[in-house]
Amino acid sequence: MKPNHAVRLRSPIATPAMALAILALAVAIAVPMTAGADDDDDDNHGFLPHGPGEKVRPQRPDQELRQILGEIDRRQLEHTIDSLVSFGTRHTLSSQTDPGRGIGAATNWVYQTLQAYAGASGGRMTVELQSFVQPATPPRIPQDTTITNVIATLRGSTNPERVYVVSGHIDSRATDVLDAESEQPGADDDASGVAVVMELARVLSRHQPEATIVFTAVAGEEQGLFGSAHQASVYKAANADIQGMFSNDIVGSSTADDGLRDRHTIRMFAEGVPTSETAAQAAIRRSVGGEVDGVSRQLARFVKSVAENDETDLRIRFIYRRDRFLRGSDHISYLNQGYPAARFTEPHEIFAHEHQNTRVENGVQFGDLVQFVDFAFMTRVAKMNAATMWSLAAGPGTPKNVRILTQALTNASDLVWDRGSEPDLAGYEVVWRETTDSDWTHSVPVGDVTTASFPHFSKDNVFFGVRAVDRDGHHSPVAFPVPQT
Ligand SMILES: [Zn+2]
């Protein structure tokens, strides 16, 4: 920091020692006076970003969300996992007609249970079986096989065309991916995910979200994401406006294979560069950045801002990856169709419990058994999901067609976007951050407008985004602008 010019001119300097003392005093006075805006003496060592707006803060749960979180019931999660395990196996190639054992019986139980929830929804929720014949796809689908997803759709009250999807997969497997006969309890992988989804359906169907929520148990995951791939392609063909999708896959255990427990952390995997990125989009990204700002990253940042708090009692460990090494889940089917999506999974995994025949070997219990599920942990996971889905579907949609104008070389930043159709839309906020920050730091309320101008705040030096706000104070996820030349 150099001495403040104005202060130094006023100083009556008698001796060099006095000058130094006065100089030190002047600096001490000058710092608090000038820190922040318009400090043209700031040499930016220890960089302090300044610019317009307020610090971005997490969105606190509103009263209805707190009520919803209080309705999440651990006993329902236990009941669902016990019921799914009771079918012996849920392998994709297992019986579809046996009333008590196999994928057909399990699927029917999920369908009937969701139907009962729909019956208490005042007509807002409907349930369907989505069946298709998957042609033989060796090696994991040796012959043509009927695959059936269960879909419960809770229609939005004011913006039903906007959709959010939450999934778990109903099928299970053992060591041999083609073994349809042996016991495959699949308590964690993935009865836990289905249990979370069904509990969300039970609770949220008694409330009235503004946008549509789809609760789905998808099938054929272990054979190659077949059920979700079909489902996502059907939505895409119908031009469905899915603004967020989440796979809950292996969300039941809080214990690592070295015995450590982490009962208050969930992992969230979300990609940066979109799986569906086109060559033209890649060219823009190479030229001006955005590799950590794909739509799924924005969605995941939103999740952290609404679902990581003392009401959910869960820390969200945000991982900048599409999925773990050697693994994948149903969110990838949605990413392939260009939809924003992320995956939740437990903080650590014990691979002796996944994709293994149930057995004891050298004193070690293998298999995906209900005894390894931590239901207190799972209850927090369900609450985190409820906070996410409710905050999305009770709030405004992600702004569309957001552009940053780049017709000429200027130090100005000009943003434009389309206005949303929510009846309770209050307006917009422009958010920004240093390019090296991992999340948005500042927001500037700009009102119910579709343009914003910052004449002296250069788009070259920060990242901008736009989010919508409704009259209840709900925010949307952030839309990252594309340059418009
Ligand atoms: Zn799984």
Side-chain angles (χ1 to χ4, degrees), residues 161-163 232 234-243 337 339:
E161 74 289 349
R162 172 159 52 93
V163 180
V234 168
Y235 280 128
K236 187 69 179 182
N239 209 18
D241 184 15
I242 296 174
Q243 297 195 4
Q337 300 293 344
Y339 292 125

Side-chain angles (χ1 to χ4, degrees), residues 351-353 356-362 364-369 372:
F351 294 108
H353 298 166
Q356 292 285 338
N357 285 2
T358 303
R359 66 192 189 280
V360 177
E361 222 172 76
N362 301 323
V364 175
Q365 177 71 62
F366 285 77
D368 193 350
L369 302 169
F372 300 126

Side-chain angles (χ1 to χ4, degrees), residues 169 189-190 221-222 249-250 327-329 343 355:
H169 70 83
D189 186 10
D190 182 35
E221 195 268 354
E222 302 290 8
D249 194 354
I250 311 178
R327 306 295 285 272
S329 187
R343 180 205 181 137
H355 303 184

Side-chain angles (χ1 to χ4, degrees), residues 121-372:
S121 73
R124 289 188 296 277
M125 191 162 82
T126 52
V127 187
E128 63 185 296
L129 292 171
Q130 182 180 52
S131 282
F132 63 101
V133 175
Q134 177 62 41
T137 316
R140 291 193 170 196
I141 302 279
Q143 67 271 336
D144 293 4
T145 301
T146 298
I147 291 178
T148 303
N149 303 316
V150 189
I151 301 175
T153 303
L154 176 62
R155 185 177 165 83
S157 58
T158 63
N159 290 81
E161 74 289 349
R162 172 159 52 93
V163 180
Y164 303 97
V165 179
V166 60
S167 80
H169 70 83
I170 189 170
D171 58 310
S172 63
R173 62 165 286 187
T175 306
D176 175 1
V177 72
L178 293 177
D179 172 7
E181 301 304 324
S182 54
E183 292 298 303
Q184 299 165 31
D188 194 6
D189 186 10
D190 182 35
S192 67
V194 174
V196 164
V197 166
M198 291 179 72
E199 181 59 355
L200 294 184
R202 187 185 71 84
V203 170
L204 292 176
S205 61
R206 297 168 185 199
H207 296 264
Q208 294 189 37
E210 293 167 15
T212 294
I213 304 177
V214 169
F215 310 92
T216 185
V218 292
E221 195 268 354
E222 302 290 8
Q223 311 308 113
L225 310 180
F226 288 106
S228 59
H230 174 78
Q231 185 176 79
S233 69
V234 168
Y235 280 128
K236 187 69 179 182
N239 209 18
D241 184 15
I242 296 174
Q243 297 195 4
M245 184 275 176
F246 302 94
S247 172
N248 282 270
D249 194 354
I250 311 178
V251 293
S253 170
S254 56
T255 306
D257 51 12
D258 62 2
L260 278 174
R261 296 186 89 184
D262 186 350
R263 309 187 70 189
H264 294 267
T265 301
I266 188 83
R267 285 183 293 170
M268 172 173 62
F269 288 84
E271 69 182 15
V273 175
T275 293
S276 63
E277 185 183 66
T278 64
Q281 290 166 333
I284 292 169
R285 176 175 54 77
R286 281 193 293 270
S287 117
V288 292
E291 58 275 4
V292 293
D293 281 277
V295 290
S296 298
R297 276 288 158 72
Q298 308 299 350
L299 180 69
R301 287 183 181 119
F302 177 88
V303 173
K304 237 179 129 61
S305 77
V306 300
E308 183 181 60
N309 52 52
D310 50 6
E311 301 280 343
T312 61
D313 202 14
L314 199 63
R315 184 178 78 94
I316 299 170
R317 184 173 185 180
F318 188 169
I319 297 178
Y320 277 20
R321 289 206 162 96
R322 189 171 72 173
D323 211 318
R324 299 107 73 232
F325 287 96
L326 302 177
R327 306 295 285 272
S329 187
D330 297 297
H331 62 306
I332 295 174
S333 296
Y334 280 75
L335 295 173
N336 282 330
Q337 300 293 344
Y339 292 125
R343 180 205 181 137
F344 298 123
T345 206
E346 62 199 31
H348 310 283
E349 288 167 271
I350 301 181
F351 294 108
H353 298 166
E354 296 175 17
H355 303 184
Q356 292 285 338
N357 285 2
T358 303
R359 66 192 189 280
V360 177
E361 222 172 76
N362 301 323
V364 175
Q365 177 71 62
F366 285 77
D368 193 350
L369 302 169
V370 72
Q371 71 200 56
F372 300 126

